[in-house]
């Protein structure tokens, strides 16, 4: 009695564990018990194919080629920033910084100007940043994987290199 109940517990633990794992069903099918047949592993929806990728290009003209991104609340995203420019990073670096809804973009970027040591991300305002790439030099790229905010709204994004956002290097992520 005792052994069979603990075996049963073992099986359900195994079934639960495989439900959480990606696709390790071999372990459960190896257990010779009909109880595993009812485990909802096979019925579970296939895991998502990974985050949706959004590629943004920056240029020496201080512009993003994408200025409006519509996403679903909580969506898994990968933003890739590619710097197509040729000017040196010290003069024409670019990053992609997503800020909280309602952030005073001008104030944030003003603070960024004096944050050269941290690639123009002001540490005192780190709580405003939802996601960001690193600062890129010519022909460099970087990516950031994150979850879209769960709160619908408009989330500004900017390049925080001095004066770039003012020159128009900004956009908005719309969370629906
Ligand atoms: Cu820039």
């Amino acid at each position: 009695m005792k052994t069979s109940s603990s075996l049963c517990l073992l099986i359900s633990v195994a079934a639960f564990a495989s439900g959480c794992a990606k696709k390790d069903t071999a372990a459960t099918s190896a257990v010779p018990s009909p109880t595993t047949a009812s485990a909802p592993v096979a019925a579970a929806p296939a895991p998502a194919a990974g985050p949706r990728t959004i590629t943004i290009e920056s240029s020496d003209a201080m512009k993003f080629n994408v200025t409006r991104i519509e996403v679903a609340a909580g969506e898994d995203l990968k933003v890739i920033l590619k710097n197509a420019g040729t000017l040196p990073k010290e003069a024409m670096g670019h990053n992609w910084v997503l800020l909280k809804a309602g952030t005073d973009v001008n104030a944030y970027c003003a603070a960024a100007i004096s944050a050269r040591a941290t690639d123009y991300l002001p540490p005192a305002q780190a709580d405003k940043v939802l996601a960001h790439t690193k600062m890129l030099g010519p022909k460099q790229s970087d990516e950031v994987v994150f979850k879209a905010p769960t709160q619908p709204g408009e989330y500004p994004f900017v390049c925080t290199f001095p004066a770039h956002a003012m020159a128009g290097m900004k956009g908005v992520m719309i969370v629906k």
Side-chain angles (χ1 to χ4, degrees):
M1 289 294 271
K2 187 167 186 288
T3 48
S4 82
S5 73
S6 62
L7 176 66
C8 195
L9 177 68
L10 236 168
I11 290 165
S12 40
V13 167
F16 176 75
S18 74
C20 293
K22 269 186 181 155
K23 52 176 180 178
D24 191 18
T25 50
T28 47
S29 58
V31 177
S33 165
T35 56
T36 53
S38 61
V41 175
R52 178 155 67 99
T53 299
I54 298 160
T55 303
I56 304 174
E57 271 194 18
S58 58
S59 70
D60 291 341
M62 292 179 285
K63 293 281 186 288
F64 289 125
N65 70 337
V66 173
T67 55
R68 185 184 165 92
I69 304 169
E70 292 189 1
V71 303
E75 187 176 358
D76 289 316
L77 301 170
K78 180 199 280 186
V79 168
I80 302 174
L81 179 65
K82 291 183 176 175
N83 182 15
T86 58
L87 294 172
K89 180 181 173 183
E90 296 68 32
M92 188 55 74
H94 300 298
N95 63 4
W96 182 87
V97 181
L98 179 66
L99 300 168
K100 281 184 180 172
T103 298
D104 183 336
V105 173
N106 290 338
Y108 181 85
C109 291
I113 291 172
S114 53
R116 185 162 182 265
T118 49
D119 267 352
Y120 301 108
L121 293 175
Q125 301 212 43
D127 63 316
K128 304 239 175 19
V129 177
L130 297 175
H132 71 88
T133 68
K134 60 185 181 187
M135 187 67 72
L136 303 180
K139 306 303 177 195
Q140 291 183 330
S141 68
D142 189 30
E143 62 184 48
V144 56
V145 175
F146 62 101
K147 262 187 193 306
T150 52
Q151 196 78 9
E154 300 196 356
Y155 296 75
F157 61 82
V158 292
C159 170
T160 62
F161 195 91
H164 284 199
M166 279 178 66
M169 203 163 187
K170 58 188 174 182
V172 64
M173 177 176 281
I174 315 279
V175 176
K176 298 197 161 184

